[in-house]
Structures are given as structure tokens and as C-alpha cells.
Amino acid sequence: MNQDYIKPDAWSIIEEGFDKGRVKSSESLFSIGNGAMGQRANFEEQYSGPSFQGSYIGGVYYPDKTKVGWWKNGYPEYFAKVLNAPNWIGINVFVDGETLDLNTCREVRNFRRELNMKEGYLARSFEAVLPNGIEVEVKALRFLSIEDDELGAIRFEITPISTDAEIRFEPYLDGSITNTDANWEERFWETLEVKTKSEKGFVVSKTLKTGFHVGTYMQSEIQLEGKEVSQKPEIKTGEDSVSFSYSVAVQKGKTTAIIKYAGYVTDMNHKESELIQAASGVLDKAVDKGFEKLKEDQKKAWAKIWEMADITIDGDVMAQQGIRFNIFQLNQTYLGKDARLNIGPKGFTGEKYGGSTYWDTEAYCIPFYMATKDQQVARNLLTYRYNHLEKAKENASKLGFSNGAALYPMVTMNGEESHNEWEITFEEIHRNGAMVFAIYNYVRFTGDFDYIPEKGLEVMIAIARFWHQRANFSKEKNKYVILGVTGPNEYENNVHNNWYTNYIGKWCIEYCLEMIDKVKDGFEDDYHRIMGLTSLNEGEMAEWKEVAEEMYFPYSEEYGVFLQQDGFLDKEIIPVAELDKTQRPINQKWSWDRILRSCYIKQADVLQGFYFFEDHFSKEELEKHFDFYEPLTVHESSLSPCVHSIQAALLGRMKQAYEFYLRTSRLDLDDYNKEVEQGCHITSMAGTWMSIVEGFGGMRIEDDKLSFNLQIPQQWNAYSFKINFRDRILKINVTNEKSEFSLEGEASLEIIVNGKNVELHPNNTVSV
Amino acid sequence: MNQDYIKPDAWSIIEEGFDKGRVKSSESLFSIGNGAMGQRANFEEQYSGPSFQGSYIGGVYYPDKTKVGWWKNGYPEYFAKVLNAPNWIGINVFVDGETLDLNTCREVRNFRRELNMKEGYLARSFEAVLPNGIEVEVKALRFLSIEDDELGAIRFEITPISTDAEIRFEPYLDGSITNTDANWEERFWETLEVKTKSEKGFVVSKTLKTGFHVGTYMQSEIQLEGKEVSQKPEIKTGEDSVSFSYSVAVQKGKTTAIIKYAGYVTDMNHKESELIQAASGVLDKAVDKGFEKLKEDQKKAWAKIWEMADITIDGDVMAQQGIRFNIFQLNQTYLGKDARLNIGPKGFTGEKYGGSTYWDTEAYCIPFYMATKDQQVARNLLTYRYNHLEKAKENASKLGFSNGAALYPMVTMNGEESHNEWEITFEEIHRNGAMVFAIYNYVRFTGDFDYIPEKGLEVMIAIARFWHQRANFSKEKNKYVILGVTGPNEYENNVHNNWYTNYIGKWCIEYCLEMIDKVKDGFEDDYHRIMGLTSLNEGEMAEWKEVAEEMYFPYSEEYGVFLQQDGFLDKEIIPVAELDKTQRPINQKWSWDRILRSCYIKQADVLQGFYFFEDHFSKEELEKHFDFYEPLTVHESSLSPCVHSIQAALLGRMKQAYEFYLRTSRLDLDDYNKEVEQGCHITSMAGTWMSIVEGFGGMRIEDDKLSFNLQIPQQWNAYSFKINFRDRILKINVTNEKSEFSLEGEASLEIIVNGKNVELHPNNTVSV
């Protein structure tokens, strides 16, 4: 770990003491979001020290002009980037005319920041001595409403404690913002209108090129000792900004406060011409309710989320804090209400990684959302890709594929490719497999087979076509091979016959053929519609089948393992444990070619396949492959430890499973990779959830039933989690002595525990 | 071919008729240079149409900040770029106040441009009707002096032909120039001083970061009907520029002219503080001599170059023009006087490709310079790399190599790496082999063994160390392997056991060990100095030897050929001839991954090895490999056809050899690759020379003797060339009936012709 300033606490992330060097890290860790928008933990008042401003609106992006050293055919000319949006949180504060700025204060005492995950707010308090010598006490609290996801609310209290003072609040909106991650230092926003209407302020902006219209708005009220102070503010408008100035004479020891209601409305949800009207409506409702009531509603909304999604861990507060932080961030990022949105690898905590959607969603996030939310949420995630199918076909066609073959982009916002490293963009094609695996996984878990005739099969056919065209017959091997790929292990590029890629490619074809048969049998209308739409015929399917049946897999007789790719054994095989610690992490210490020719594995690759297709292999086979590959794995991807944790647990290696669990659950809190400043690793947080539920809990689906093989790390006294299985809510509580299962609702449910069938009845706890 | 406007002529490149669409192409083709500086064929007078300005000074570069999409460890932060330098050619011309600008003239008639290669000048003439209706006739001629390589001279004549007119000449210098190839649109130059002294003008500039000081200077004289007109010009100076304005009243049909002497002096050859003084000296000498005498000297200087370097072809004017253009451009680019300079792939004809020196110099250019110049010239080219040895060691060390191993940069100006594509920068390591091959080739040709103890051995040891460390032992193969490389065929990346790379790596070690023994025997002092310097011991050498002896080479029993790399036969093997023509060139039509997994070869790779090490293989082996690989080769590198031409000739396939020859010799004149606008392919021009001398002429070195196997393409009546072999000048003349050899000088020489010894006596022609 690289930082340890976060205080252990079961429900909150807490920082104590002011350290300018930690500001950017904390801005990431204390981010708030409500699935539709998000805000880094930037201060409301002016801060002149190093800071990384970030306000984000889900789905609002900008196609930045590609920057590469050397152009390769097939690169997208533009690609979608997450956008820093107009500033709605800003409140400049002046004490007897002196600007409150923690970077210039003579002293800052009792600085405390709390991200209250239970109730969903960010609070901050401190005492400061301003340059003019006046001492003040400050308490700020803000949240982004879950209930009204266009609204944010801030209460900023200040108490002069050394003398009477004139406090001036200047709440403002500012549309003149820039992206840190901009290829050409261009501005991405244009301000269309700055308007005020009594005490409401509006800035209407438009993203350049994409033309998203966003209305940023605010309204404030001033209080003295908790009572509203009526005051006509002084209004200032600039080209891109608007501010209101309120002045209050405050006696020593008394408290004045500003409540700021603010946020965004966009033309994704309103007419372009009605943004100001929509914003006024949100404001009127908010003012009407008042801050306290909004905060109470927020608490309730989060209670409802936690009711289903919480995992408790007894006896290990660090682990408890870690898993709750992960669950909290996932819910802040994506609540599943809107099929146009997805789960960005940085969520609303930073700009990095351009577009928002990676194969992370399909491979790591869907299980979490399936099990902790209504099944419509996971369906929305699948639909997101279904809606991008035509773009995926265009993408494949750009790369020379034909006949409606689809290649989903490596990174995307709107279905178009948003990445340009040839070895990844063009070659990390295994992502196409994850799209199909997610459908399979969804149907397996939810039993919602209808998704396949409705939407899934079209995606599967286009992807099967891709694999069929992408493989070629090797006369030398008398088998089909897949050349020039990058597997999940990105520390190998342009390899031949990556086992994982070949395996998932073969499986995609076979699963698609199986589903075509099923749809033909049970959904005749859909079958004819899809066959007509795709012009698929028996001859083509026969060709697919041949590719799948005759797919080549590199294998070592000597080690009895599938090889990650052709030629893997030509490498010098030295376990990571024997590698000098000064050489780690190798992605910071070694040149790229050295990494590539080494045997070191960034993240699960062959083992990722064993994770997805666990039921295709025996435990002995898994053990052999785990023992061969894990010692060569440096886990320099946030997505690596979780898969290994689950597999170690399955192999009964609980000590190792727990070690992997720790690495994943506190990755950001402890800043393992020295980069939390740039944002949190949101998608891998779902892997942490999997480590507990699928790893320690051993949850699987077997023949349409939930199955568990429960274990508990020796560091813990107990843990519990809930699963929403086909609208039945199951709670599992595990202690060192026993496992308890209780079922909500009315119907009974048969599950499998340690291989044996167990009948659960509602409101009746079963101990095993 | 993509253009055919160049008129056939044995000694000149000629364009007739003005076509704005051809301006940029012609600016490249009609470039002039003198080895120290060069100038694209931009017009002297203003031209407002599309144009690509370029003035270049050998050795003056700028380290541009790297631009990449995704950073990889090991990339250089800055890399050296060829620089567009201050404009010295400019002469604004006004006719009765109207600007002469071919883009705005009402009519342009009889436009003619001639690059006179025999005498080394560029001439241009035309008649134009200006917007004000006045008709003028213009004749401009310029050259860059070979004799005084800091000097350029221009004569610009104008004749009003429709009416009397006032002609104003404004010769100027302009330091406010930019690079087309600049990563961040920064300015690379700073102007330090603008000065005039009587009729001399000076602009002293400095390159930012590198701090090269350059004095650009001029002096002009005005003539009317060939007689000097004394006139005090009006002087204008700007921040970066200086101009002189001369006005002449000219009667209809009379001719006025301006002579402009101008050029560069740099702190590479003068003290920083004495640039103006140095420039004054050059000007005084030039003015003293006068334009006509300078032009006469230029003719003589070129006659001397041609005397040795010319190749005549009888009966095929297109081929004659092509080879002379190649020889002319090579001599314009590099004359071998200065070991700090080298041969850029675009010479002085464009900016593309950043730094100036590639492995092209060692692999393709050295034979030309060895055979047509004094051996010191080739020695200077080797010394260039010797002088960069420490930088090559630093480069290797950045990539994780130790113990004084060296990796020469892929592209360089000053010894530092100037390229950043991991698959090339880090992986195209075969370039290190070319460094050693060039030494071997030089010693084989010149017999100058002294170079090895003096300089070459240190380079060879550092390179042997690199290969030793770069190979690793494969238990699987029980051999040493070289993983993760890009061979000369850049249409494969990150391959394992590229045959060419493994072969030249093994050879480098073996040749180095052989040379260590030789130096130990004959140069004891050097031996001890070098052993001390490098701390090389027997143990290390034994390790090298093992790697060389146990090197792995991929081989196909089925085809009886070495494989380009591991797994080559997994590809779909479809000859280029069967590829749809709409798919060519594949580097413009296909995405990069598709190119990579295809079997298509950009340029000779296995065959490049057979070319370098022809004597290691039988003719039958060559034939087998040629028949296997050539049909898969798309020749999309300018460096490919020449090697194939030589090998086709060796195999007696003269028809094919001639086809390859045509592709290489008129590559730029006919603009095969649709890119001559950006500059000419200078280094591959040396390959054209090789196609004739080593291909048709079959010249080799056998046991310290020149050997020939002469053939002639059926399209030709005769061809001749000269070889400077160890200070003996040999002329070879080949016709359909016979080959004639004549020797200059005083001593006799034994050569081998068609396998038989032939004794040549001075001034006595032998026919075979």
C-alpha cells in the first residue's frame, strides 16, 4: 500500500488532518455520484493549491481528435472522451473581504472529511486562520440526490470564532472548464446562454461537435443561526459564468450558512429549448422540500440500496470498509436506470481512459448488478451493446470483415471505437467473446431466455461471423488458428493462438449454434425474423461449425497445461517470487519489449478462461493451470486478483484467497498502484464483490439453481450477503461454525449447499 | 507510375508547362544540394498557391517533444528532427507595382524547369501575363556551390515584353520559418540578430534547445541588359527578416536581372561570434568571382563527380535518366567530407522521417560511396557510428541491457534514438547487425583492416554483448532463441526467431570473435587497449560463442526453406499475384492487424540475409528461397526491389531483374508511391546503383579481388560504370557482344570475370 491516512470505519471513509499532498487523492476517494452525474471531492470554496477539478455527466462526451505518433490504417479519427462539465459546486467565501482558501490560510486545524456511505453524503469540517488573522470554523456537506438525479445540494456553514466578521458568500456557476485529458488542448464546451431569473442562475452550454446541451443551474438561500436571511444578492454575469453575492454580518461564535441547490439538466432528458424551464422546475421542487428533507430522502434512498447490496464482515473493519467502499462506488456510478449509460473504469471519479465502456462491464460488473438489483438492470447493460450492434458491424467492416460480422470496440461511449493502439484496438478481440459470455451468464442467472430471441441472438450471430472470418486454416497444423491477437494478458502483443481467445471464439460459435436451434424450436417468429435479417443459411453455419470443431489449442505435454499462446515455453520461465523487488512493478521499471518477451502475466489469461468456463474443466486441471500460471502473474491489472481469489478459494487455499481479496478490496483506499489521484478503479470493484460471493461464498448456478460452497477467511468472525435470484431475495450469513440461509417473500426455493439440495422456506432461517 | 510529366532526357530532369497540382512534386524532384545544405525547388518570387517550403542545413536539428498516443517505457522524451531553415532564396518581384506570383497571373506560357544534373543547376523559364496585363519573360537559375559549400547563387532575369515597365526586385532573408513536421506546432528557431552592412544583409538565428547558431546572409547586384546597375537599395528590416529593394525602369524587350549570392554559415564550422564575419568573407569571395565564374566552377566540380560516379546506359533513355537522377541526388545529399553528417532518407528534399540516419546507410548506401569515392568517405560513414557508440550504449541501458552492450538507434541525428513505435524502436534490433556488416563490407572492399583495431572492434564488442544478452535459452527448443523482434519486413511485429535477425546476431558474435583473434595477433597494443577498455574476458567470450553456436533457426522440412519466423506457415499462403489489385498497396488498403497476420512481405527479409551472406549459401538454396519468398513480397518499401533485382540477376532471370530495376530507378520520377511531394527516397537510390553494378554487373569481392559476372538487359545496347577499387579506377563497359575493362593509373590489377582470372594493365582495354 502507498497511503494509510484513511481511518478504519465500517460505514465511512474518513480523513483527518489537512495535507496538501493528499488533496488530489482525496478528491478521487471522496467523490460522490448518483448514477447520472458525479463530482470529485473538490472544495466548494476557492483552493489555489494543486487540485484536479472534475464534474461529470453520464453519457455526455466529446470526440477528441486522435493523437498518435504513427498512424495505422483502421484507427478512429476521433474518439469519445469523458468530459469535465461546468462547475456547479463553487461558492467563493470571503471573511471581512479576505478569500477563504485552504492553501493560503495561516493555519488549518481539525480538518476532517467524511464520505458517509450509509447516508450518501460528503461532509467536511475544519477550523482555519485566514491571512487577515480571523479564525473561522467551517462545516460543509453535500450530496447528489439519488431520488432526483439532476439535483445536487450543498450546505456550507461558517462561524467566525475570533471576532465578529462580515461573511460574503458568492455561489457561482462556471462554464469555462477544460479537460485535463485533451489531446490538443482544445476547449470542449461552448456557452450558449447565461441567465438569471430572480435568485436562480443558469448557464446553458453545448459540447462542441457532439452538441449535447446542458443546463447548469443554481439557487441559494442564506441562513444565520439556522434561520433564513432574506437578502437581494448582487448578481454578476460573465461570458461563461454567473455569480450571486450575499453578505452577512456575523457575530463572533454565531454561524451563517449558505444552502446551494444546483446541478445539471440535459437534452438527453429534456427538449433543448426547455432546459432553463426544466432546471427551474427542479429548483422549485428542491427549495420547496428544503435541505433537511432532501438529506433525509437521500438517507432513505441509500438505505434501500444497502438493504439489498450490503455485505457485512464481522471482525475485520478494514475488510468491511473496503467492500462497502466498492459497493458504494459501483452504485454511485451506475444504478441501471438508463440503458444509454454504462460503467466507466473511473466512474465519475476521473477522466482517464477516454470513453466509458470496456469489456470490464461484461466480464466483471454484470454479476454484481444481476445479484444486487432487479434483473432489468443487467438487461439494460446487455441492451446497451445490442443498441451498438450496427456500430460494431461498421467497426469490423473498417478492419476488413464482411457479411455483417461485428467487432465490439475496445473502449466506447456511443458504440464507436475510442482507442488507438493497434495491438489493443485491432488485436484484443477477445472482448467480442465477453459480449456473448455476458448474455450466457445473464440467461443462466436470471432464466430470462426471452432476451435471446429478442436481442441476444442477433449479437451472437454477428460475433460468430467475426470469429469464423478471423480464424484461418493452418495447413501446417491441420487446424484453424487465430493469428495476431492480444489476450486479456496485455503483456503479450500480437501473439498467435492465445488459448483464451481461441477458446472463447470456439465457444461463441458453438453457443450461438445451440441458441439458434433453441430459438428455432421455441420462438418461430423470431427465428424467421432473425434468419431473414441476417441471411444466415445452413452452409454458413456448417462453415462456422468446422472452425469451432477444428480450432487449435496450444498445449504442453511436458507440463500438462494449455499454453497461453504459441511459443510460450520459449521464454525464460522464472517465477515472480524470484524477481528482484526493485524491478516491480515491471510496467514502471521495464521497457515494453522486455515485458513482452518475459514470461510475466499482467492479469488472468488462461485462468480467465478457466474462470468463465469452470464447468468445462476438472478441479485437477484447474489446480495444474493455477499452479503453472499464477506464480508467473504480476497482477498489475486491477482486474487480476479477484479471479485468482475466487480460484484459490475453489481450490481450498483460503490464505491465498484472502491475500488476493485484500489486494482488490482496498486497491484505491490504500492506493496500491500510486495513481488514485487520477480516479478510482470502479469496474474492478465488482471483482471484489465476486471475490466474496463467488470466492468465499462459492456461489454458482447449477441447473437453474443457486449453489454455494461456503468458506470463511480465518481473519473474520462472520460475513453476510444477499442475492436477488429470479426475484427471490436470499440472505446468507456465514460464521466460523455455520452458514445460515433465509429467504424473503412467499414462495420456497431449492438451493444447493456444499453439493446437497436444501429447501428454503420464506422467513425461516436454515443453518448448515 | 503515378506521373509521367518528366521529359525523357539523358542528363536533365525537365518539366514543361505550368500545372499548380504538380508544384509540390516538382519542388521535391528539382531539389538542389551540395552535401552541406539543400533546397527544395521553391520559387524565388512569391507563390501563393500550395507549396512545401524547405531549406535544410546538414547536421542542424531540433529535438521535438515526443508525441504518442500511449506512452511506453523506453521512448525518448525528445527526438531529433530535420529542420526547415531560414529562407535565403526569396526575391519578391514587382512589375509596375504588381506582384509577380504564378498563382495569380492571368496566363503562364512556356513554363519550363530543368534540373541540369551534368552541371549541377536548376533553371526555370516562363512567360506570364500579370493581373495588370503586363507580359513578362522570366529566366531564373540557381545552384548550391559544391566548391564553397556555404554558398548559393541565383540569377533572376525578367523582360517586360508587352510594354515598358518598372521592375522592382526585393531580395530578402526570412528567419520566421516553421516545420511542417512539428509535433506541437512550436517554433524551432529564434532570431538573434538582423543586420545590414552596405549591401550585405544578415539574419543570425539560433535553434531552440539545440542552440545551433546559423548566419543566413545575402548580397545582390542588379543588371540591365547584362551590365551592372549601381543603385543604393532601400533597406527594410523586420524582427526576423531583412530585405533590399531595387527598382529599375526597363524598356519593352530589354532585360533586367538580379544576382543574389546567399546561403548559410553555422557554428559547426565557425565561432558563434564570427558568423557575420564568416558570411561576409564568403560573400566577398563570391562577388569577386562573379556569377558566371561560379557557375563555371560548379560545372567543373560536377564534371569531377560524374567522371567517377556516372553510369551510362545506351538505348534506354528512361533508364539512363533514372540512374543519373539517383546518382545526382546521392551526391547532392552526401559528399563524404564531414563525419558528422550522414544520408537522410529524404536527403535535403523533405522533412519526413524525423532524424537523418537509418540502417539504410550501412545496408544500402555504403557500397555506392565505397566504389565511387575515395575510401575515406565510407570510412567517415563508419566513424559516424563509432562516434555514437556511447549513446548506443546508453540506449541499450535504457532498455535494460548492461555491461556496455550497445543498441544503435533506429533513427538518429546525434546518436540518440529519434523514433517511438515500440515495435520498431525497441524491436527492430537487426539494425545492430547492419552496423557490423558495414564494417565487414568496408574492410572486404577496401582492405583497410586498420579500421578494426582503431575503431571497429569496440563497436563490434558492444554489439556482440547486445546479442548475447538479447538471446535467451529455450528449454523447449534446447537452443538459443531471440524473442519479440521486428525484422526488415516491417509487416510483421513482435515475432519470435526472425531468421534474418537470428542469423545476423549469430554472425555478429562470430565475426567479432574472429576479429578479436586477428587483432590479438597483429595489433597487440590495440588489443590490450580494447580489452582494458571493455573488460572483456575469456569467460564472457565463451558464453557468446555458445549463444552463436546454439542459435535456433526456424526451418521447414516440407519446403526446404528457412522460415521468416516461428509460425510463418500458420498463415494463409496466397501469392501476391492472386491478390485482387484493388487491395494494393496493402499498407493503404488494409488495417494493420490484417497486414500483420497476412503472409505478405514488405521488403526482403530472409532474402536480405541471403544478399548479405550470399557466400554462405548455394545458388540452389538461394533459388529455393527466392521462389518461396519473392511471390509473397509486395515490395512496399523503396528498399525492396534492388535486393530482388540483384538476386534475380544472379539466378539468370534477367527479365525479372530488369523489372525490379525499373521500379527502383524511377521510383520518384514516376512517383510510384504517390508521395514524392514529401521528398525523394534518397537512400534507396543507392540500391538502384547496386542493381546495376552488383546485379547486371555481378560485381563481388572474392579473396581480395574484384569479380564480375556481366549480363545486360535485352532492352539496352550497352552500359558502363566505374569502380574505385583500393585506389585503382576500373571502367567497365558492357554491350550485347562483349565486356570491356580498362584500368586507370600505373599498376596492373587482377580481377575475376565469369569465374576466370583476368590481368588488367593500365590504359589497356581488355575485352571478354
Side-chain angles (χ1 to χ4, degrees), chain B residues 109-307:
Chain B
R109 291 188 298 250
N110 298 325
F111 181 91
R112 186 178 190 274
R113 196 162 2 199
E114 177 182 357
L115 182 66
N116 187 312
M117 303 188 286
K118 191 169 187 181
E119 304 187 10
Y121 65 78
L122 167 64
R124 182 166 56 105
S125 57
F126 59 85
E127 291 158 34
V129 184
L130 276 80
N132 61 8
I134 300 181
E135 294 183 39
V136 295
E137 194 183 316
V138 170
K139 285 183 189 167
L141 189 149
R142 75 177 181 235
F143 56 88
L144 280 169
S145 168
I146 297 285
E147 200 156 273
D148 182 348
D149 64 16
E150 299 175 323
L151 178 71
I154 301 169
R155 185 180 59 207
F156 193 101
E157 300 172 295
I158 181 164
T159 313
I161 51 181
S162 60
T163 173
D164 296 353
E166 188 244 347
I167 304 292
R168 188 145 52 85
F169 292 115
E170 277 188 15
Y172 64 89
L173 303 174
D174 180 12
S176 69
I177 33 76
T178 56
N179 253 47
T180 302
D181 180 19
N183 287 339
W184 307 97
E185 291 172 21
E186 291 170 326
R187 223 181 126 176
F188 294 168
W189 292 94
E190 183 190 343
T191 303
L192 301 176
E193 194 181 351
V194 174
K195 198 177 164 176
T196 62
K197 213 166 78 185
S198 65
E199 294 196 31
K200 294 184 173 78
F202 307 93
V203 173
V204 181
S205 321
K206 191 179 87 167
T207 56
L208 294 169
K209 294 185 192 164
T210 31
F212 286 103
H213 285 65
V214 170
T216 312
Y217 62 86
M218 65 169 177
Q219 179 167 347
S220 301
E221 51 191 53
I222 305 296
Q223 300 177 344
L224 184 63
E225 288 287 283
K227 289 206 177 98
E228 198 172 333
V229 179
S230 187
Q231 180 177 142
K232 273 253 170 296
E234 189 186 320
I235 299 175
K236 274 187 257 174
T237 59
E239 250 181 69
D240 306 296
S241 63
V242 56
S243 71
F244 288 74
S245 182
Y246 300 89
S247 190
V248 195
V250 188
Q251 286 173 295
K252 173 175 165 180
K254 304 272 183 200
T255 300
T256 182
I258 177 169
I259 313 283
K260 181 178 183 184
Y261 307 99
Y264 305 116
V265 290
T266 81
D267 63 353
M268 292 170 74
N269 302 312
H270 303 279
K271 283 190 189 158
E272 225 175 271
S273 57
E274 294 174 4
L275 290 178
I276 289 179
Q277 192 184 326
S280 288
V282 178
L283 280 175
D284 289 342
K285 249 172 64 187
V287 172
D288 199 42
K289 260 193 186 173
F291 188 83
E292 287 306 323
K293 178 75 172 72
L294 286 169
K295 184 161 173 284
E296 191 56 34
D297 287 351
Q298 179 77 347
K299 181 176 169 181
K300 279 186 198 152
W302 272 102
K304 208 171 150 201
I305 292 169
W306 285 116
E307 168 64 21

Side-chain angles (χ1 to χ4, degrees), chain A residues 625-663:
Chain A
H625 286 79
F626 190 89
D627 287 343
F628 184 79
Y629 285 110
E630 195 291 319
L632 306 178
T633 306
V634 290
H635 303 291
E636 291 177 9
S637 159
S638 64
L639 298 169
S640 190
C642 59
V643 170
H644 290 86
S645 181
I646 295 166
Q647 292 179 329
L650 180 61
L651 295 172
R653 305 177 182 184
M654 280 298 285
K655 195 166 160 280
Q656 208 182 358
Y658 181 73
E659 279 164 18
F660 284 125
Y661 168 77
L662 272 195
R663 260 179 98 146

